[in-house]
Amino acid sequence: MRTFAFPAASIKLPPLETLSLGASVTIQRDDGAFAVTREGWYLPRSHIGSLEAMEDDFVAVAERFVGTPYLWGGKSSLGIDCSGLVQIALTAAGTGCPRDSDMQQDGLGRELSPAEMKKLRRGDLIFWKGHVAIVRDASTIVHANAHHMATVIETTHEAIARIKAAGSEVVAVKRL
């Protein structure tokens, strides 16, 4: 989810930076259990992956963010918003994704028919005006939202009813 960049090969030193999931760095050399970047940062080797490494299940990536505080415009485990969660999860699985929910609605997948919406599948995306959630299974979603001020797993029908009561209807359901 994140790692620290240290000034030398010791986890006992105060970190210089915090790097989030998906951060790209250039590794210059190895130093024991650390990889050293061109900036001179020491990163725990076990926290480094190759650029070619892709996650198998973008929904599982999103689920790792459960409990992360909601932050409008956020894109890390320190704070994330709904479209940032979708973007990070899809990107980790090798699928390019726009940043904002309206662009995601326009650019991702195909819209489901009303009949298909009755049988949601893992990875479907539910859109409201200014909000997006990821379907986990037939009855739950994962989404970062201001109501809970966190990324949560929520029953789909309860989330739809709660958001409708707040004034927003589902505008689209897309399948990737």
Side-chain angles (χ1 to χ4, degrees):
M1 298 292 291
R2 63 185 167 269
T3 193
F4 295 113
F6 297 97
S10 172
I11 61 170
K12 294 182 179 181
L13 296 170
L16 299 170
E17 284 289 338
T18 303
L19 301 177
S20 298
L21 175 71
S24 293
V25 294
T26 301
I27 303 301
Q28 297 290 90
R29 62 185 172 85
D30 287 329
D31 188 345
F34 292 87
V36 184
T37 69
R38 68 176 171 211
E39 295 85 4
W41 299 342
Y42 287 72
L43 308 176
R45 166 77 42 214
S46 62
H47 291 184
I48 304 295
S50 76
L51 290 174
E52 295 79 32
M54 296 294 155
E55 296 283 343
D56 294 328
D57 179 5
F58 85 93
V59 181
V61 175
E63 290 168 335
R64 289 184 215 151
F65 283 86
V66 168
T68 299
Y70 178 81
L71 176 64
W72 187 81
K75 281 184 43 172
S76 79
S77 61
L78 299 175
I80 198 162
D81 69 10
C82 63
S83 56
L85 180 67
V86 170
Q87 186 181 47
I88 286 173
L90 282 172
T91 300
T95 299
C97 179
R99 173 60 179 100
D100 295 325
S101 62
D102 60 336
M103 293 183 284
Q104 292 170 352
Q105 180 183 336
D106 291 342
L108 295 173
R110 67 170 181 83
E111 192 154 353
L112 298 185
S113 70
E116 289 175 306
M117 284 192 248
K118 293 178 183 173
K119 295 189 179 193
L120 295 175
R121 293 187 199 157
R122 186 173 180 84
D124 288 346
L125 301 174
I126 302 174
F127 292 92
W128 294 261
K129 186 177 187 330
H131 187 63
V132 60
I134 303 168
V135 173
R136 294 181 62 240
D137 54 37
S139 62
T140 62
I141 58 174
V142 58
H143 61 142
N145 66 89
H147 175 77
H148 294 99
M149 287 306 294
T151 300
V152 298
I153 292 171
E154 187 171 10
T155 302
T156 305
H157 75 272
E158 289 174 3
I160 290 171
R162 178 178 53 73
I163 295 169
K164 182 178 182 179
S168 186
E169 299 269 353
V170 171
V171 294
V173 179
K174 307 284 290 270
R175 182 160 291 156
L176 302 177

